């Protein structure tokens, strides 16, 4: 098998966890390249449900190697509680889980800073997941960050903590003396993870390159979605990392020539969690049906997701940036009850028809979506595993999507379980 990348093509929550889990069966190694504990990948195996945030979903396959690249920001407290939870559920990770030595750490003060900043933003808040992601990436870019490898120089580590608390004094002074002292202690206490981290650290880029050259195949696991990308997303209402395919190279140290296919995970409708523009958002009625049938609540924060119709302006853009080779379409069954299904083919703004994405927030916030209506199938597709068993109108919906995006549909998910899947 060639090396595959799995990326979200919308605002995240497309159902990457399940698809990664399925494709892991065909790979030797799963490597995560971006984001942090803000992600929430849900995988259902039999009657058991796993929600993974930092650990690649591939860990659920006992014989696969999983790696976290330098592009991921790691909250060690969170990581080890996730690993311990997996162990309790009989998923062994020792000897098959690696973390990059130059990944940056999410420190306790990042979470405190983010909370204070979001409060200060008031109405303009981003609606982050509260996992300290923005401040951690900001420190990385500003060259103030602390990497995994820095844990092994305790003097340097302590200096970096002191320095970071000092340069963030403007914000942190809003905390009481006791809170500040406790934050400092918690931050210095991160050193206690050295013993647990030591057996896991690796030069992940070198490891992957050597494995690929020996004929092993890698599944590159993305997090979030293209419209949350720091460069290509709906800035500033986005996350702080590269969620698109380029993140494989910068977030793992893997050459682009080693990437084979790019699998675009696309939900059969659109959702987003947190603030920011969403042209095809439905306020009630349709949104309630999608949310209820699709269980659209954030896997990380539990927040209700905003829901709406499929948007081809956004999809065409994210397919172009990612160079999607095949589509994995998820949650088709959620649309089962609709008599009509709308799809957005353009935006109308100030009398003009726009068919290409724009980074201009005002346009995205104030445009009116231009819809085409397709016939709904009004039959259950839940759990269908063969294409030929789908209702004709559902087949037509899939065909429409593939034609519009000039990309073949390869996988269709018809339920949360591993086997509720059609392979085309
Ligand atoms: P942050 O990544 O926590 O800084 O949050 C920034 C924005 O990205 C917020 O709107 C979050 O709701 C959104 N976001 C971050 N991670 C995910 C995800 O895994 N799924 C969906 N939205 C996400």
């Amino acid at each position: 098998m060639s090396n595959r990348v799995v990326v979200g093509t919308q605002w995240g929550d497309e159902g990457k966890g399940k698809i990664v889990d399925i494709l892991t069966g065909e790979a030797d190694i799963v490597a995560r390249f971006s984001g942090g504990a803000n992600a929430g990948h849900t995988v259902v195996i039999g009657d058991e449900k796993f929600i993974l945030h930092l650990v690649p979903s591939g860990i659920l396959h006992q014989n696969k190697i999983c790696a976290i690249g330098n592009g991921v920001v790691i909250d060690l407290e969170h990581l080890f509680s996730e690993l311990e939870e997996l162990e309790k559920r009989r998923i062994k990770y020792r000897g098959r889980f690696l973390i990059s030595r130059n990944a940056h750490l999410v420190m306790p003060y990042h979470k405190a800073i983010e909370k204070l900043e979001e409060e200060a933003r008031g109405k303009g808040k981003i609606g982050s997941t509260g996992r300290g992601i923005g401040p951690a990436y900001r420190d990385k870019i500003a060259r103030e960050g602390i990497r995994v490898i820095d844990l092994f120089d305790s003097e340097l580590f302590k200096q970096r903590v002191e320095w970071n608390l000092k340069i963030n004094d403007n914000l942190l002074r809003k905390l009481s003396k006791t809170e500040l002292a406790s934050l400092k202690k918690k931050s210095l206490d991160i050193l206690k993870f050295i013993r647990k981290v030591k057996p896991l650290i690796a030069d992940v880029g070198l490891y992957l390159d050597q494995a690929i050259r020996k004929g092993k195949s890698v599944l590159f696991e993305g997090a979030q979605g293209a419209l949350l990308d720091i460069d290509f997303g709906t800035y500033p209402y986005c996350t702080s990392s590269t969620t698109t395919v380029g993140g494989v190279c910068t977030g793992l140290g893997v050459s682009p020539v080693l990437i084979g296919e790019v699998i675009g995970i696309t939900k059969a409708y659109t959702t987003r969690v947190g603030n920011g523009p969403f042209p095809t958002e439905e306020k009630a009625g349709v949104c309630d049906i999608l949310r209820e049938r699709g269980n659209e609540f954030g896997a990380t924060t539990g927040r209700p997701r905003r829901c709406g119709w499929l948007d081809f302006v956004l999809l065409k853009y994210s397919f172009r940036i990612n160079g999607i080779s095949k589509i994995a379409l998820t949650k088709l069954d959620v649309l089962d009850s609709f008599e009509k299904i709308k799809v957005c083919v353009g935006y109308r703004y100030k009398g003009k028809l726009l068919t290409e994405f724009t980074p201009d927030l005002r346009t995205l916030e104030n445009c009116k979506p231009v819809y085409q209506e397709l016939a709904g199938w009004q039959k259950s597709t839940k759990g269908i595993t063969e294409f030929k068993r789908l209702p004709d109108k559902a087949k037509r919906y899939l065909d429409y999507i593939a034609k519009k995006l000039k990309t073949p549909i390869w996988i269709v998910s018809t339920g949360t379980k591993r086997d509720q899947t059609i392979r085309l």
Side-chain angles (χ1 to χ4, degrees):
M1 191 198 87
S2 72
N3 303 307
R4 290 177 176 144
V5 187
V6 167
V7 286
T9 61
Q10 293 150 311
W11 274 292
D13 305 323
E14 296 90 355
K16 287 180 291 297
K18 169 175 163 174
I19 305 298
V20 169
D21 177 58
I22 291 172
L23 299 182
T24 298
E26 298 164 25
D28 300 298
I29 303 164
V30 183
R32 168 107 184 252
F33 58 86
S34 70
N38 49 350
H41 294 161
T42 307
V43 184
V44 181
I45 304 173
D47 293 328
E48 273 200 277
K49 183 171 168 184
F50 295 85
I51 300 180
L52 296 154
H53 298 281
L54 257 172
V55 180
S57 334
I59 203 81
L60 303 174
H61 293 245
Q62 303 271 10
N63 54 345
K64 309 285 171 170
I65 309 279
C66 288
I68 288 187
N70 58 282
V72 176
V73 286
I74 305 180
D75 175 339
L76 290 175
E77 281 185 298
H78 192 104
L79 177 71
F80 285 104
S81 79
E82 209 168 305
L83 289 170
E84 277 150 29
E85 187 56 30
L86 283 169
E87 269 197 325
K88 274 191 211 146
R89 297 175 73 178
R90 302 175 308 283
I91 309 286
K92 296 200 171 76
Y93 69 90
R94 288 168 214 271
R96 63 183 192 98
F97 178 63
L98 312 172
I99 58 180
S100 167
R101 56 190 184 172
N102 47 337
H104 278 245
L105 299 179
V106 177
M107 297 291 290
Y109 54 79
H110 288 134
K111 287 181 267 186
I113 289 168
E114 178 171 48
K115 191 161 176 274
L116 292 166
E117 280 176 342
E118 280 282 75
E119 277 163 18
R121 284 185 190 116
K123 264 176 77 183
K125 75 174 182 182
I126 290 162
S128 80
T129 57
R131 298 287 165 97
I133 303 297
Y137 278 113
R138 178 169 65 208
D139 280 357
K140 172 177 174 172
I141 301 298
R143 294 158 295 180
E144 305 290 7
I146 303 183
R147 301 162 304 164
V148 168
I149 198 169
D150 298 329
L151 287 167
F152 297 88
D153 182 340
S154 56
E155 268 321 296
L156 174 84
F157 180 90
K158 285 176 195 159
Q159 277 169 23
R160 303 287 284 173
V161 170
E162 299 271 0
W163 172 245
N164 273 285
L165 293 175
K166 190 168 165 195
I167 55 176
N168 284 294
D169 180 55
N170 251 354
L171 264 175
L172 293 176
R173 72 164 64 138
K174 293 194 177 127
L175 300 178
S176 70
K177 273 205 168 124
T178 337
E179 284 169 332
L180 194 55
S182 139
L183 185 62
K184 184 171 171 186
K185 182 173 180 315
K186 268 187 97 181
S187 300
L188 291 170
D189 277 355
I190 294 298
L191 274 176
K192 72 176 180 228
F193 286 106
I194 290 185
R195 199 178 44 81
K196 289 184 175 174
V197 165
K198 204 168 183 184
L200 307 180
I201 57 166
D203 180 340
V204 168
L206 179 66
Y207 174 82
L208 292 176
D209 191 74
Q210 288 175 341
I212 293 169
R213 288 181 201 288
K214 279 188 206 144
K216 303 271 185 213
S217 62
V218 184
L219 185 66
F220 302 112
E221 178 178 339
Q224 288 85 37
L227 274 306
L228 288 174
D229 186 279
I230 185 67
D231 286 283
F232 301 107
T234 43
Y235 190 92
Y237 298 100
C238 58
T239 190
S240 298
S241 63
T242 301
T243 60
T244 43
V245 70
V248 172
C249 305
T250 56
L252 281 164
V254 166
S255 159
V257 299
L258 297 177
I259 299 174
E261 298 173 318
V262 186
I263 314 299
I265 318 291
T266 304
K267 189 158 15 187
Y269 48 97
T270 314
T271 61
R272 101 168 273 179
V273 60
N275 296 343
F278 180 176
T280 62
E281 180 171 18
E282 289 282 321
K283 291 289 180 201
V286 170
C287 173
D288 295 338
I289 298 171
L290 293 172
R291 187 181 289 146
E292 197 194 314
R293 286 189 57 99
N295 190 25
E296 296 295 353
F297 295 89
T300 300
T301 57
R303 290 179 291 181
R305 295 180 186 140
R306 300 156 65 193
C307 304
W309 300 112
L310 205 55
D311 182 341
F312 284 102
V313 181
L314 296 185
L315 285 173
K316 268 175 29 195
Y317 169 71
S318 87
F319 272 55
R320 171 169 61 80
I321 290 164
N322 281 302
I324 302 294
S325 15
K326 290 170 173 174
I327 304 172
L329 192 88
T330 59
K331 295 196 157 185
L332 182 70
D333 56 300
V334 174
L335 296 179
D336 283 352
S337 66
F338 290 102
E339 191 190 341
K340 298 264 181 238
I341 294 173
K342 288 191 195 174
V343 290
C344 170
V345 291
Y347 303 148
R348 189 153 310 272
Y349 185 62
K350 294 194 172 164
K352 286 205 180 107
L353 177 68
L354 309 174
T355 53
E356 299 293 339
F357 178 78
T358 165
D360 179 50
L361 274 189
R362 297 279 166 266
T363 309
L364 291 173
E365 275 162 359
N366 298 307
C367 66
K368 292 266 167 295
V370 177
Y371 286 117
Q372 280 187 1
E373 267 190 3
L374 306 180
W377 43 93
Q378 296 191 287
K379 284 187 187 133
S380 174
T381 60
K382 187 139 200 109
I384 289 184
T385 54
E386 286 175 283
F387 182 75
K388 62 177 190 224
R389 301 218 178 276
L390 285 175
D392 284 344
K393 286 173 182 158
K395 285 183 192 157
R396 252 176 261 150
Y397 188 58
L398 298 182
D399 193 44
Y400 182 94
I401 294 172
K403 286 212 174 97
K404 256 318 217 210
L405 298 169
K406 299 190 178 75
T407 313
I409 296 185
W410 182 49
I411 293 177
V412 181
S413 170
T414 56
T416 50
K417 298 194 175 143
R418 251 185 201 168
D419 55 0
Q420 296 178 312
T421 307
I422 303 171
R423 285 290 275 259
L424 291 147

